[in-house]
Amino acid sequence: MASPPPKLPIPGRRNILITSALPYVNNVPHLGNIIGCVLSADVFARYCRLRGYNAIYICGTDEYGTATETKALEEKCSPKEICDKYHVIHDEVYKWFDIKFDKFGRTSAPEQTEVCQAIFHKLMENKWLTENTMQQLYCDTCERFLADRLVEGKCPTEGCNYEAARGDQCENCSKLLNPTELIDPKCKVCKNAPRIRDTDHLFLELPLLSDKLVNYINNTSVAGMWSQNAIQATNAWLKEGLKQRCITRDLKWGVPVPHEKYKDKVFYVWFDAPIGYISITASYTPDWEKWWKDPDNVELFQFMGKDNVPFHTVMFPSTLLGTGENWTMMKTISVTEYLNYEAGKFSKSHGIGVFGNDAKVTNIPSEVWRYYLLMNRPEVSDTLFTWADLQAKLNSELLNNLGNFINRVLSFVAKPAGAGYDSIIPDAPNAESHTLTNALAEKTNKWVEQYLEAMEKVKLKQGLKSAMAISSDGNAYLQESQFWRLYKEDPAACAVVMKTSVGVVYLLACLLEPFMPSFSREVLRQLNMSPDEDLSFCDDKGETAKAKRPWDFVSAGHKIGKPVPLFKELKDEEVEAFRIKFAGSQAERISKAQADAEAKKVAEKLKATKLSEGSSKKKQSGGSKSKTAEDVSVAKLDIRVGLIRKAEKHPDADSLYVEEIDVGEEAPRTVVSGLVKFIPLEEMQNRKVCVLCNLKPVAMRGIKSHAMVLAASNEDHSKVELVEPPESAAVGEKVTFAGFSGEPEASLNAKSKTWEKLSADLHSNGELVACYKDVPFTTLAGVCKVKTIANGDIR
């Protein structure tokens, strides 16, 4: 089947150009990447098509730069081979997630070099570029200058001190950095300390462009209704004062700089990456300038995560303004915060979280993943992915609300005559005079108006909630109408209820198509309508008055298809299996899978030997009980020094804090603590604490806690203090107790150092009794009645 011809702007129509932040090609995208850019942009693009706007959605893989070179070194291949491999993986993941691009391209395409170098020449002509000598880290072992991402060290930002900050940006506090600012920097390749050397580079003179830029930001942020987080991130850059930004790098993999002096350098990835939107459009159509150089007739909407904002609101606009050409500049920017994963942040570099290919192997349909991510979209603050929440939203909202409504309606219509309508939509004259139906129509129309308002403002989560509210009202309408009784007692009223309900089913298929396209296709199939049909709840002029008359959406006499359930329940045991399967990092999962496979081989070999244990062992007394868990002693408590990286109030519990605590592992742990009444929030930030790490994880008001902060309380709990390790204690260091008297075997001699401030006895009833700072505190909060250790976790 031939591809449709490229779309071009149409005079008199609303022409919308949509871009998503180009996903970096050095790894498989995780769910945070997917909701942060490509999925959100896809929903808006589908909405625009639904409304009849002339819209195109442009995206592609960002392939140049240090991260690609680093990945190539890891996988012992060339950067191009890395890009070829991961571009295919990205493309397959997005196809599975039902992302519908007009063009999904690559920044390593020849169009990128052509467009990027043309923009560079314009900036040179207009004298917005200057030469400067800068100090850069050079690795004598690797014999090369180290680009930003080839350097790691301690973040210099006060109050952060993250140990693994990259040379371009700290992943913990999001502060943009220069590699020379890092404390104790190390080469990421050889782990040796680099030295500083001079090197010449080209710089974009942002301070000289500031008047043009500020004028653009002031006008567009209002007209384009920029999200608040985008405005805040942009203003933070402006407040600090714009500085020259280096646009070249000492690398080989990138767009070559067309300048004799700098011919051995390439453009910095954050100079050329946003230009990828333009070059990918150029690979979509040779008439790309009709989209990119017509600001009066084209609106540009851009989607991204919060860490990308300054590059799109400051760097990229400054680059385009500097050319002096009439570019289509960004009108609206939609920015997401972070989606966190159970025990910490999603991380591509650390392999933490559920990745695109992981979602596929769960056999949970893509429409469910899309729904969950969009309903949990971090529009104004960070949100949390948990398997329990995914289960709740699938079972309660999709299965019991939406799926139940549609299946009840279509199944009743499909029943044979005498019990239903034999799959034929009944006629329903004078439906507007039916009081209950008229009330439903008014409610539905209000929800549609709210849906449209939210979607036009790119408030995608609110748009989805408005559509789902129609389903809730539909269920209530069915229940209140008692259609099963009306069928016998008042056939005319029953026909009105069922024809209206089928219309609401069609309306839901329309409104939810941007969010769950495969769901909408299946609903259309069950309605016996073509999946290729252009769904629409508007008339030819785009008006939505049809929503006021839902009984008119599907004609009387139309024969529906065969109804089947739309969603499948997600069971507790499946959720627990997924939680275990996707715990830890990708590397740990691979290692565990290999270990499990090896253990299975050993077990099979043992089984093959058919060893007999003898008749005496077979005839053991049935009265004895096998011991499944060890008795607990203080020595079995895995208590470590932790550093609270971030603490905030629990969104659904006034007495709880949610903390991210570094305990010396690859990723911080999420911990929930009932300390709000005793310790102010500001005193919970960036402080060292003692953390009990081998508690069984437990969900507390929807957020899973993976450890426990130790706090000492007096007998009536009127006074609570955090148990503080010495200032010199290292993060991740095991805590040792002094002065045990209850259990001799509990005394820990693993370290020479003990903490005299803290002593504890473990009584036979499982209560850990403590004395802290010579105050007679009785209980380490939360550790009472510890009975057994099973599989390394305290139960």
Side-chain angles (χ1 to χ4, degrees):
M1 183 177 170
S3 299
K7 287 184 273 188
L8 295 174
I10 300 170
R13 290 274 298 277
R14 191 172 177 195
N15 301 297
I16 298 179
L17 172 59
I18 300 161
T19 71
S20 154
L22 306 181
Y24 209 79
V25 78
N26 67 326
N27 212 325
V28 182
H30 56 59
L31 299 184
N33 303 137
I34 290 166
I35 186 58
C37 49
V38 292
L39 176 55
S40 295
D42 179 66
V43 171
F44 185 67
R46 287 177 178 276
Y47 165 75
C48 289
R49 297 180 196 120
L50 185 68
R51 292 300 309 277
Y53 304 152
N54 184 41
I56 64 169
Y57 176 18
I58 299 295
C59 190
T61 42
D62 179 8
E63 303 193 355
Y64 286 138
T66 317
T68 304
E69 288 197 359
T70 307
K71 192 70 173 178
L73 286 168
E74 286 175 15
E75 298 199 11
K76 296 179 174 58
C77 61
S78 70
K80 185 182 185 307
E81 287 170 327
I82 283 290
C83 294
D84 290 345
K85 171 185 173 180
Y86 282 101
H87 175 81
V88 171
I89 291 171
H90 276 257
D91 193 33
E92 288 173 349
V93 166
Y94 301 139
K95 281 176 180 171
W96 186 82
F97 271 94
D98 240 338
I99 309 294
K100 188 178 180 182
F101 305 108
D102 287 276
K103 178 66 179 180
F104 185 69
R106 309 176 64 171
T107 60
S108 61
E111 291 87 355
Q112 176 75 355
T113 300
E114 184 182 332
V115 176
C116 198
Q117 291 183 345
I119 288 174
F120 167 77
H121 284 306
K122 282 289 183 183
L123 293 171
M124 285 291 283
E125 286 173 24
N126 296 336
K127 297 181 170 48
W128 297 118
L129 299 178
T130 56
E131 298 181 67
N132 214 330
T133 300
M134 64 185 291
Q135 291 186 319
Q136 197 169 333
L137 294 174
Y138 183 86
C139 180
D140 288 305
T141 307
C142 299
E143 296 183 329
R144 63 187 292 181
F145 282 103
L146 298 180
D148 302 350
R149 292 192 176 210
L150 284 177
V151 187
E152 280 189 351
K154 192 174 182 180
C155 178
T157 307
E158 189 177 348
C160 178
N161 299 319
Y162 184 56
E163 298 284 350
R166 294 196 314 253
D168 61 343
Q169 189 171 26
C170 176
E171 199 177 49
N172 186 55
C173 69
S174 298
K175 177 81 172 177
L176 294 172
L177 302 168
N178 287 313
T180 51
E181 295 177 299
L182 292 174
I183 299 167
D184 192 24
K186 293 283 188 293
C187 171
K188 196 171 178 182
V189 178
C190 68
K191 307 303 180 189
N192 289 323
R195 64 186 175 89
I196 294 175
R197 258 180 64 172
D198 288 348
T199 179
D200 292 338
H201 282 286
L202 288 164
F203 289 76
L204 179 63
E205 286 290 346
L206 289 179
L208 300 180
L209 285 159
S210 63
D211 289 346
K212 293 176 184 287
L213 177 68
V214 169
N215 184 54
Y216 158 75
I217 290 170
N218 288 342
N219 291 332
T220 311
S221 61
V222 176
M225 296 179 291
W226 288 11
S227 55
Q228 196 58 40
N229 46 11
I231 294 171
Q232 288 169 350
T234 304
N235 287 341
W237 261 50
L238 296 177
K239 188 178 179 182
E240 282 186 14
L242 295 177
K243 301 175 181 66
Q244 292 179 322
R245 294 296 296 187
C246 183
I247 67 165
T248 53
R249 283 292 183 270
D250 289 293
L251 292 171
K252 299 297 180 190
W253 182 244
V255 175
V257 179
H259 188 293
E260 183 60 29
K261 182 177 176 181
Y262 298 98
K263 62 184 179 183
D264 292 330
K265 299 180 191 287
V266 299
F267 287 116
Y268 176 33
V269 68
W270 268 114
F271 174 76
D272 87 279
I275 294 171
Y277 303 129
I278 303 169
S279 72
I280 293 170
T281 312
S283 66
Y284 169 67
T285 171
D287 294 321
W288 62 270
E289 291 188 349
K290 291 183 178 179
W291 283 106
W292 281 99
K293 292 187 177 179
D294 190 4
D296 293 333
N297 294 306
V298 176
E299 301 169 60
L300 173 57
F301 285 73
Q302 298 196 290
F303 290 77
M304 70 205 64
K306 64 180 176 182
D307 50 346
N308 286 339
V309 170
F311 301 106
H312 289 78
T313 60
V314 177
M315 287 283 287
F316 187 40
S318 296
T319 300
L320 298 182
L321 290 167
T323 65
E325 296 179 308
N326 194 31
W327 290 98
T328 300
M329 305 284 283
M330 177 182 63
K331 176 190 173 184
T332 299
I333 182 171
S334 179
V335 176
T336 55
E337 301 289 314
Y338 292 130
L339 175 69
N340 293 325
Y341 178 70
E342 297 249 339
K345 285 183 179 178
F346 277 92
S347 172
K348 278 205 299 184
S349 57
H350 295 136
I352 302 294
V354 179
F355 288 71
N357 49 354
D358 295 332
K360 188 174 180 179
V361 301
T362 62
N363 291 323
I364 298 171
S366 62
E367 64 209 41
V368 174
W369 285 106
R370 286 178 63 114
Y371 177 84
Y372 177 76
L373 290 173
L374 290 157
M375 195 57 93
N376 214 21
R377 186 175 185 248
E379 292 183 349
V380 295
S381 62
D382 293 357
T383 56
L384 187 65
F385 170 94
T386 69
W387 288 101
D389 191 34
L390 172 67
Q391 179 190 28
K393 283 185 167 57
L394 167 52
N395 293 349
S396 299
E397 298 172 19
L398 291 178
L399 178 64
N400 295 337
N401 175 9
L402 180 64
N404 178 61
F405 170 69
I406 292 172
N407 195 250
R408 284 179 80 189
V409 172
L410 299 187
S411 294
F412 190 80
V413 172
K415 285 181 179 180
Y421 295 95
D422 204 18
S423 298
I424 305 297
I425 304 299
D427 196 8
N430 304 315
E432 61 271 19
S433 63
H434 188 258
T435 305
L436 190 61
T437 298
N438 208 39
L440 174 71
E442 287 182 13
K443 285 182 190 175
T444 300
N445 186 57
K446 284 180 181 176
W447 286 124
V448 169
E449 287 175 356
Q450 288 184 29
Y451 171 91
L452 293 172
E453 182 182 2
M455 296 301 284
E456 290 293 330
K457 292 178 178 177
V458 202
K459 304 293 185 187
L460 306 183
K461 187 192 295 187
Q462 187 54 51
L464 179 54
K465 287 180 177 179
S466 298
M468 290 297 289
I470 294 173
S471 174
S472 298
D473 286 346
N475 272 312
Y477 172 67
L478 289 179
Q479 209 58 29
E480 196 173 345
S481 70
Q482 298 189 26
F483 63 92
W484 57 94
R485 291 179 59 187
L486 291 179
Y487 186 76
K488 297 290 186 185
E489 297 172 8
D490 190 345
C494 187
V496 168
V497 170
M498 296 320 295
K499 190 170 190 289
T500 300
S501 296
V502 171
V504 173
V505 168
Y506 175 81
L507 178 62
L508 284 167
C510 293
L511 298 177
L512 291 171
E513 194 278 339
F515 302 93
M516 296 186 289
S518 58
F519 156 83
S520 294
R521 288 193 296 270
E522 175 58 21
V523 171
L524 285 178
R525 190 196 65 75
Q526 294 188 28
L527 285 170
N528 194 25
M529 295 179 174
S530 168
D532 299 323
E533 174 185 323
D534 286 334
L535 279 167
S536 178
F537 56 95
C538 312
D539 59 24
D540 293 340
K541 296 178 182 178
E543 298 297 324
T544 60
K546 287 166 70 175
K548 294 179 181 177
R549 301 175 59 84
W551 49 83
D552 286 342
F553 274 120
V554 183
S555 303
H558 175 79
K559 185 171 184 176
I560 69 168
K562 183 182 177 182
V564 293
L566 290 159
F567 301 102
K568 181 185 172 187
E569 182 185 8
L570 187 58
K571 300 185 182 298
D572 291 345
E573 55 269 26
E574 293 175 291
V575 169
E576 189 58 32
F578 290 142
R579 188 182 290 112
I580 294 167
K581 182 174 183 176
F582 298 112
S585 69
Q586 285 180 310
E588 289 168 344
R589 292 175 209 161
I590 292 168
S591 178
K592 182 179 182 300
Q594 291 170 342
D596 289 347
E598 190 61 35
K600 189 176 179 182
K601 283 182 188 175
V602 172
E604 286 171 354
K605 285 179 182 176
L606 286 172
K607 189 177 179 182
T609 61
K610 297 181 179 179
L611 293 174
S612 171
E613 293 194 9
S615 59
S616 61
K617 288 188 178 181
K618 289 179 184 176
K619 296 176 182 178
Q620 285 184 348
S621 167
S624 62
K625 205 173 186 180
S626 64
K627 195 170 184 180
T628 58
E630 306 169 44
D631 292 332
V632 171
S633 72
V634 175
K636 299 283 197 314
L637 302 179
D638 179 12
I639 302 176
R640 302 181 216 163
V641 177
L643 178 64
I644 300 177
R645 296 288 187 194
K646 179 182 175 185
E648 58 189 9
K649 293 277 191 71
H650 193 299
D652 298 316
D654 293 338
S655 63
L656 300 178
Y657 285 131
V658 181
E659 303 109 19
E660 287 183 14
I661 305 180
D662 182 355
V663 291
E665 297 171 336
E666 201 167 358
R669 294 198 187 196
T670 298
V671 180
V672 182
S673 305
L675 297 169
V676 170
K677 294 178 184 176
F678 305 105
I679 302 170
L681 182 59
E682 59 271 17
E683 291 182 20
M684 293 290 291
Q685 309 291 341
N686 294 302
R687 68 181 292 174
K688 287 181 180 176
V689 288
C690 294
V691 184
L692 179 59
C693 293
N694 60 333
L695 271 179
K696 182 183 178 184
V698 62
M700 300 177 74
R701 298 297 293 270
I703 296 179
K704 184 147 285 190
S705 182
H706 292 260
M708 181 168 292
V709 175
L710 295 190
S713 66
N714 59 2
E715 207 162 318
D716 63 359
H717 291 279
S718 61
K719 186 176 181 183
V720 173
E721 289 184 15
L722 288 175
V723 177
E724 291 183 295
E727 196 58 42
S728 60
V731 171
E733 182 179 346
K734 282 284 285 250
V735 174
T736 60
F737 291 96
F740 292 110
S741 60
E743 291 185 39
E745 74 274 14
S747 297
L748 299 180
N749 297 312
K751 288 179 179 278
S752 59
K753 180 171 69 176
T754 56
W755 297 356
E756 299 301 332
K757 287 182 179 177
L758 181 64
S759 61
D761 294 334
L762 191 69
H763 286 189
S764 57
N765 67 355
E767 186 174 65
L768 186 65
V769 180
C771 181
Y772 181 58
K773 292 183 180 176
D774 300 321
V775 180
F777 288 98
T778 58
T779 307
L780 289 178
V783 193
C784 305
K785 306 298 180 187
V786 174
K787 291 293 186 187
T788 61
I789 292 180
N791 301 322
D793 287 335
I794 296 174
R795 308 285 173 173

